[in-house]
Amino acid sequence: DYVTGSIFLKNGVELELQEGATILGSLNPWDYVKDPTAGWTAIVFAVGQKNVGITGKGTIDGRGYDVGIRFVDFVHMGLIKDRLSNDRVNESVRPENIHFYKCDSIEIKGITIKNSACWTQQYDQCTNLLIDGITVDSKNYWNNDGLDVVDCSNVVIRNSYIDASDDAFCFKSHKAWGVSENVLVENCTGRSSANGIKFGTYTLGTFKNFKFKNIKIFDTYRSAIEIATVDGGTIEDVEVDGLQSLHTGNPIFIRVGSRHSRPDSTLPYLRNVLIKNVYAEVPFDKPDAGYSYEGPVEDLPRNVCPSIIFGLPNVPIQNVRLENVEIVYPGKADPEYAYRGTS
């Protein structure tokens, strides 16, 4: 077991974690760096580097619950300034386990990543990213996204398992000029107390050419796959081929929203989506009941939430094709839930 605060990988460095070896996040908030370029805090950083990676059968354990509580203690003692929104420090202050920023040619293979104090791993404005055969178990604190890929190009994610309290496989855009393109996710399994696969919620830029193949999502509170643009961004050319959704709140959620507008006032669009070969079972009970940091208990039965394709009056969703989709619902809902007035 190796206890550390922030470390930085440089060009050509591969960090190999051998089986039985664990990097443990320090419990001392002063051991972590908020990188001024990336604007985030992490245990393992790479900023502006090339040919870098983390491989092996070892583990990065952020000890996020203890670290998160310790950061809150420091705020109460006046050692860190933070407004403590929802009784936690800001996302960019809590350390992620991994943060790679503006890097090229990255390999993350074989490792286990656990218990982050924030998002588990973030790859921001990177190119040529391979994630293969990793295991994520991160459901011990708030905002525990399993994987965040932000404005990245040429990405392959395969043979990986993610169990997270927040979104499992998450694709974001933080910049109006950002581009996420040429992304393949295949042979992966996810569980989440939010969504399995999600576009957003930050969706300022462009998303295009995404393929998801042979995906299994289970015990997930919201959607198996959510394709949404709510900040003015654009999404096109998304293909889902082979989705098994078991014990999940709803299988498919496609949405154009208007949470924020892009600075250039360009209208968003969402078009050219193909979803095929889907089998889904929606449970009567709460899908993530019993998991730590589970989704909120609701007044209405969770199973009455349908799959949704929902645009805006001036922004219709275009060219969505569904093929060979089977969804099994449990029944028992009050039929009055199906009616909604127009005023």
Side-chain angles (χ1 to χ4, degrees):
D1 292 341
Y2 299 87
V3 178
T4 185
S6 299
I7 60 175
F8 288 77
L9 303 186
K10 299 298 184 181
N11 283 328
V13 172
E14 175 187 321
L15 173 61
E16 181 184 353
L17 305 178
Q18 294 186 351
E19 188 170 6
T22 300
I23 289 178
L24 292 171
S26 171
L27 302 184
N28 182 356
W30 297 138
D31 288 338
Y32 295 100
V33 174
K34 183 173 183 178
D35 183 79
T37 303
W40 289 75
T41 309
I43 299 172
V44 182
F45 272 113
V47 179
Q49 305 300 307
K50 189 172 183 178
N51 296 321
V52 290
I54 309 174
T55 64
K57 299 291 187 181
T59 299
I60 300 175
D61 185 344
R63 298 197 288 184
Y65 181 82
D66 294 327
V67 172
I69 295 301
R70 191 63 176 147
F71 268 86
V72 172
D73 289 343
F74 270 41
V75 173
H76 287 309
M77 290 186 289
L79 301 174
I80 293 176
K81 290 185 178 180
D82 192 273
R83 63 189 182 96
L84 285 185
S85 176
N86 297 318
D87 296 322
R88 66 195 95 146
V89 300
N90 182 270
E91 290 181 12
S92 64
V93 176
R94 283 179 275 138
E96 301 173 317
N97 282 13
I98 298 171
H99 189 107
F100 282 17
Y101 179 76
K102 290 189 174 180
C103 294
D104 177 54
S105 300
I106 301 163
E107 286 195 357
I108 310 294
K109 298 175 69 174
I111 63 172
T112 296
I113 314 171
K114 298 176 60 176
N115 302 330
S116 181
C118 190
W119 300 356
T120 304
Q121 52 187 323
Q122 180 179 178
Y123 306 90
D124 187 350
Q125 299 172 63
C126 295
T127 53
N128 302 311
L129 167 63
L130 172 64
I131 297 175
D132 190 359
I134 70 168
T135 300
V136 174
D137 182 1
S138 196
K139 49 187 184 293
N140 73 151
Y141 203 64
W142 302 103
N143 313 114
N144 271 177
D145 291 10
L147 167 65
D148 288 281
V149 177
V150 182
D151 293 321
C152 293
S153 297
N154 305 328
V155 177
V156 175
I157 303 164
R158 63 191 183 203
N159 308 322
S160 294
Y161 179 96
I162 294 181
D163 184 357
S165 61
D166 213 325
D167 301 320
F169 299 86
C170 195
F171 302 91
K172 294 182 168 78
S173 176
H174 290 166
K175 308 293 184 183
W177 43 259
V179 177
S180 298
E181 62 180 348
N182 304 330
V183 176
L184 170 65
V185 182
E186 61 180 352
N187 302 326
C188 289
T189 298
R191 194 224 64 89
S192 170
S193 289
N195 300 279
I197 292 171
K198 184 181 180 184
F199 287 69
T201 302
Y202 293 108
T203 44
L204 289 165
T206 298
F207 301 80
K208 57 185 179 182
N209 192 21
F210 279 70
K211 296 183 183 297
F212 301 91
K213 298 181 178 180
N214 189 25
I215 305 297
K216 180 178 179 180
I217 304 296
F218 70 99
D219 285 5
T220 291
Y221 177 69
R222 290 194 174 99
S223 303
I225 182 163
E226 175 179 333
I227 305 170
T229 173
V230 300
D231 297 324
T234 62
I235 300 176
E236 62 182 331
D237 300 329
V238 178
E239 179 181 324
V240 180
D241 183 1
L243 170 64
Q244 185 183 57
S245 168
L246 302 177
H247 209 247
T248 300
N250 66 75
I252 301 167
F253 187 96
I254 302 176
R255 182 76 164 100
V256 173
S258 57
R259 185 181 68 164
H260 300 302
S261 296
R262 292 205 323 193
D264 58 9
S265 298
T266 301
L267 285 176
Y269 57 75
L270 200 169
R271 63 194 183 199
N272 303 339
V273 176
L274 170 62
I275 299 176
K276 62 183 181 179
N277 302 321
V278 175
Y279 178 78
E281 294 180 0
V282 177
F284 183 75
D285 60 337
K286 189 169 181 291
D288 67 335
Y291 286 91
S292 57
Y293 289 85
E294 64 182 70
V297 175
E298 298 176 328
D299 293 331
L300 301 178
R302 188 67 189 143
N303 72 82
V304 303
C305 179
S307 288
I308 290 173
I309 302 173
F310 199 128
L312 293 172
N314 60 334
V315 188
I317 293 172
Q318 299 173 299
N319 192 26
V320 175
R321 183 178 181 90
L322 306 178
E323 296 180 4
N324 189 30
V325 175
E326 181 177 359
I327 302 173
V328 180
Y329 278 91
K332 301 183 182 179
D334 184 334
E336 294 300 319
Y337 291 141
Y339 296 93
R340 178 181 182 275
T342 58
S343 64

